[in-house]
Amino acid sequence: MAAELVVMGLGHVGLPLSRAAVSAGLATAGYDVSRPVVHGLTDGRSHVGGVDDADVAAMLRAGFHATDDPAVLDGAQTVVICVPTGLTDKGLPDLSAVEDAAAVVAARLHPGMLVVLESTSYPGTTEDVVRPLLERGSGLRAGEDFHLAYSPQRIDPGNPTWDVRNTPKIVSGRTALCAKHAVAFYSRFVDQLVVARGTREAEMAKLLENTYRYVNIALVDEVALFCHETGIDIWDVLHCAASKPFGFAPFSPGPGVGGHCIPVDPRYLAARAESQGFAFRTLAAAQDVLSRMPDHVVERALAILTKTAGRPEGARALLLGVTYKPDVADIRETPARQVAAGLLAAGVEVSYHDPYVPQFTVGGTPLPRTENLRDALDRTDVAILLQDHACYARETLGRARCALLDTRGKAVGSRVTLL
């Protein structure tokens, strides 16, 4: 029996989407080009934070199955493309996964099918990249023979409050009828839908959401750099500013940005703008600030080691939390890697503690990992709090015998140095 829904790409977006659809009673299948992902899900193992093994087991019992066979698309009513959109080695948008997925769909496209792109990309991707591939490969026309839509993902890994169902979802279509079919589909398992005027508006809205965060994080980071130079307590500044009930949205400084969205999405916007002769000066300034933060952390740590150990060479540094987000097992684009590389280049012996990351490599070489936090704090010269995991209790950090560089404004103590 053909699946009602096939989700292409079973990663941080596709798997939660599949779970929500299965929970709503949709006959759902998942397609992924990674055999380890497919085999793991078939055996009931999740590889995505926020979706545990019990969730996968429940999905399997409800009829979900994962495969790397494109024949699963045959007869599907809806196909949702959730493949990753990253950057090339030159920092430009990489749509190869989207193009490959569209080609696979095109070979199995049939009249009446709804095809939705959820992957984040620049305005015009659905219309100028995906549509031609679908039409050329199938001989069918979007908006006439099949329905084409764009609905940007809004997945927040590790968020216990907002999930696929209760997070408002933007929906758009190439035509009004396409949008109507997309609304009918998503309304089966999403509580609130927001219909955009067109696919370009929906694509732009997604980029604006993350660019807003990108720019504001950069602003707060630069304020933190200024406060460090002038002896102002940035954390008290933020505490006071956040008390304003209107006109101010609080953001926190840190060692740099990570994850898939924040470091990547603004570059899609900048690249698209540049291709059309428009320069986003705000984005360029924000990127300059954010790219400096890991090196700033390294400089602060080396200064501490020079003061406490005499010199950085041969001294020991312990990284606390190497994921890009607290209490989430995700190291995509984490600034911890750049911090570790900078310390290693200065001759520092670097190890790490993170309950969510069993292995962490820098330049292809695994860093030593410690599991006992208290013992590790006793054996190191400086600990660097990079991520505010719940396991890093304020009291434990404050009582550490080693020096502590706190990039999250959490610890208090005589040996604590704040970012």
Side-chain angles (χ1 to χ4, degrees), residues 282-315:
T282 305
L283 292 185
Q287 182 179 354
D288 177 66
V289 173
L290 292 172
S291 64
R292 291 163 51 196
M293 293 309 294
D295 292 337
H296 174 69
V297 173
V298 171
E299 291 171 4
R300 298 293 304 281
L302 295 180
I304 292 172
L305 289 174
T306 299
K307 181 178 180 180
T308 60
R311 61 177 187 170
E313 295 85 350

Side-chain angles (χ1 to χ4, degrees), residues 9-10 16 25 46 90 111 155 178 187 195 203 206 223 249 268 290 322 326 337 343 354 358 370 372 408 415 419:
L10 298 173
S46 175
K90 296 182 179 179
I155 300 294
C178 291
S187 63
V195 181
E203 290 161 337
K206 171 61 178 179
V223 170
Y268 271 69
L290 292 172
V322 295
R337 189 165 278 115
L343 293 171
D354 195 312
T370 182
N372 189 307
R408 298 296 178 178
R415 299 183 179 89
L419 179 69

Side-chain angles (χ1 to χ4, degrees), residues 374 377 392-400 410-412:
R374 291 182 182 273
L377 290 173
Y392 300 136
R394 179 187 179 98
E395 295 76 16
T396 300
L397 297 178
R399 291 196 299 265
K410 182 174 185 176
V412 175

Side-chain angles (χ1 to χ4, degrees), residues 43-125:
D43 293 339
R45 299 191 306 273
S46 175
H47 58 289
V48 171
V51 180
D52 57 30
D53 292 350
D55 292 325
V56 175
M59 293 167 64
L60 295 173
R61 289 194 299 270
F64 173 81
H65 71 281
T67 181
D68 60 358
D69 184 355
V72 72
L73 279 77
D74 291 339
Q77 297 175 16
T78 302
V79 175
V80 181
I81 299 173
C82 300
V83 296
T85 47
L87 299 171
T88 66
D89 293 339
K90 296 182 179 179
L92 299 175
D94 182 2
L95 295 181
S96 58
V98 170
E99 294 167 347
D100 291 345
V104 171
V105 175
R108 310 265 177 181
L109 193 59
H110 61 77
M113 179 184 280
L114 169 64
V115 181
V116 186
L117 177 64
E118 284 211 5
S119 305
T120 302
S121 188
Y122 54 75
T125 300

